[in-house]
Amino acid sequence: MRILYFLTLLSLLILVGCGGSTSSDNVTTSDNTTAIVSNAEYRIVATGQTECYDTDGNVIDCPQAGESLYGQDAQFIKNEFSFNDLGNGLVQDLNTGLIWQQSPTSQTFTWENVVNYCNSLTLGGYDDWRVPSAKELFSLSNFSEGWPYIDTKYFELASGNITKDEQYWTSNYYVGTTVEGGEDAAFGVNFVTGHIKAYSAKATGPIGEKYVRCVRGNAYGNNNFIDNLDGTITDNATSLMWSQTDFGPFDWEEALQFAYDSNYAGYTDWRLPAL
């Protein structure tokens, strides 16, 4: 099953662009894509999408600038996935620098217990493993093909099967209230369905306990936001500029067009953000 498109309805639209940045630029290529050239310290990894779609989920030729449905994720060339199998059960992400546990244990944990597992893990001669953040774990998500949304040439699934229960904890606690977790929930990533979701942090058994893929290395994904005092926010870590204002609601086609037509804060290179 192939991923069709990320957004069908945006209740709140935030624009992203590179306007005003000194460390990134957009270069339009001959095949109607835009290369996002960046020297950012926080390298955002591509989603893996390489095809354009219509609103029924059919693959189409990527639209020209200004045409309906222009501005899809496949039309922006970003940092492609790049992994190195280090052997001994280790895989390094050459974009983020993180080293990952290649074959997670089939054991499941509550969120409160998963930290102890990673902290006590010795693998490949290293003992400095930890639970990944949501940004770190989601950076492995590859939306090029479909279930599972992770490159199985490098990473094994904990269950060994393509099942919607392939859910992994992150280190991020959920601030707020959820249906499943109440006021005590934490974020997880499902590499089969592609979701980020908040799960109960204390529930036990098959419903509550999740898998974990431990990681080691310097923290990835720290933002450095600067208020430009013109309705925009620049993230110096990624070299991206964001609209401070939310827009919408729009359906997906309307949102793509709105971003392309926007001259918000005097900039004209706005687009919809990828996941």
Side-chain angles (χ1 to χ4, degrees):
M1 184 178 77
R2 303 183 70 82
I3 183 72
L4 303 182
Y5 40 78
F6 291 144
L7 303 175
T8 57
L9 177 66
L10 298 177
S11 59
L12 294 175
L13 169 65
I14 298 178
L15 301 178
V16 64
C18 296
S21 173
T22 59
S23 57
S24 65
D25 196 8
N26 289 353
V27 180
T28 302
T29 61
S30 58
D31 59 352
N32 198 31
T33 60
T34 298
I36 302 174
V37 182
S38 174
N39 297 317
E41 60 190 67
Y42 165 8
R43 292 171 59 87
I44 299 177
V45 184
T47 64
Q49 287 214 328
T50 58
E51 295 178 311
C52 292
Y53 298 86
D54 64 19
T55 54
D56 293 320
N58 301 306
V59 176
I60 61 173
D61 292 334
C62 286
Q64 299 290 323
E67 293 181 344
S68 176
L69 296 176
Y70 173 78
Q72 298 187 39
D73 185 39
Q75 298 187 272
F76 296 93
I77 303 171
K78 297 176 286 293
N79 299 312
E80 298 300 324
F81 294 102
S82 182
F83 299 111
N84 184 21
D85 188 339
L86 301 176
N88 297 320
L90 311 180
V91 174
Q92 184 170 28
D93 185 332
L94 300 181
N95 279 307
T96 66
L98 296 171
I99 295 177
W100 292 92
Q101 182 182 19
Q102 185 173 42
S103 303
T105 176
S106 60
Q107 181 181 354
T108 56
F109 307 86
T110 64
W111 186 71
E112 294 179 327
N113 291 331
V114 75
V115 173
N116 290 333
Y117 168 77
C118 286
N119 287 353
S120 61
L121 177 67
T122 298
L123 178 66
Y126 299 103
D127 60 3
D128 56 348
W129 297 94
R130 57 182 174 81
V131 181
S133 70
K135 288 182 181 179
E136 290 172 333
L137 191 59
F138 195 72
S139 71
L140 299 179
S141 297
N142 186 330
F143 293 93
S144 61
E145 294 294 335
W147 291 27
Y149 295 111
I150 192 169
D151 191 338
T152 54
K153 296 190 297 293
Y154 290 97
F155 300 100
E156 296 182 7
L157 300 177
S159 67
N161 300 305
I162 300 176
T163 165
K164 65 180 182 180
D165 296 323
E166 195 77 12
Q167 302 160 344
Y168 293 78
W169 285 122
T170 77
S171 60
N172 296 103
Y173 185 77
Y174 185 89
V175 180
T177 303
T178 70
V179 174
E180 291 186 4
E183 295 181 354
D184 195 349
F187 283 103
V189 174
N190 189 321
F191 281 111
V192 170
T193 65
H195 293 126
I196 297 177
K197 189 176 179 181
Y199 302 106
S200 171
K202 290 187 175 180
T204 59
I207 295 178
E209 297 180 6
K210 313 299 178 190
Y211 299 114
V212 65
R213 189 183 301 274
C214 303
V215 69
R216 61 178 299 272
N218 294 330
Y220 163 80
N222 294 324
N223 300 102
N224 181 14
F225 294 118
I226 301 296
D227 188 342
N228 298 315
L229 303 178
D230 62 354
T232 68
I233 302 293
T234 294
D235 183 358
N236 285 336
T238 62
S239 299
L240 293 176
M241 177 185 284
W242 296 85
S243 64
Q244 198 167 26
T245 301
D246 297 326
F247 306 93
F250 303 106
D251 64 25
W252 183 54
E253 183 175 2
E254 292 170 336
L256 287 166
Q257 191 65 48
F258 179 85
Y260 176 78
D261 291 336
S262 179
N263 61 358
Y264 179 79
Y267 299 101
T268 59
D269 58 347
W270 297 104
R271 59 184 172 83
L272 295 192
L275 288 176

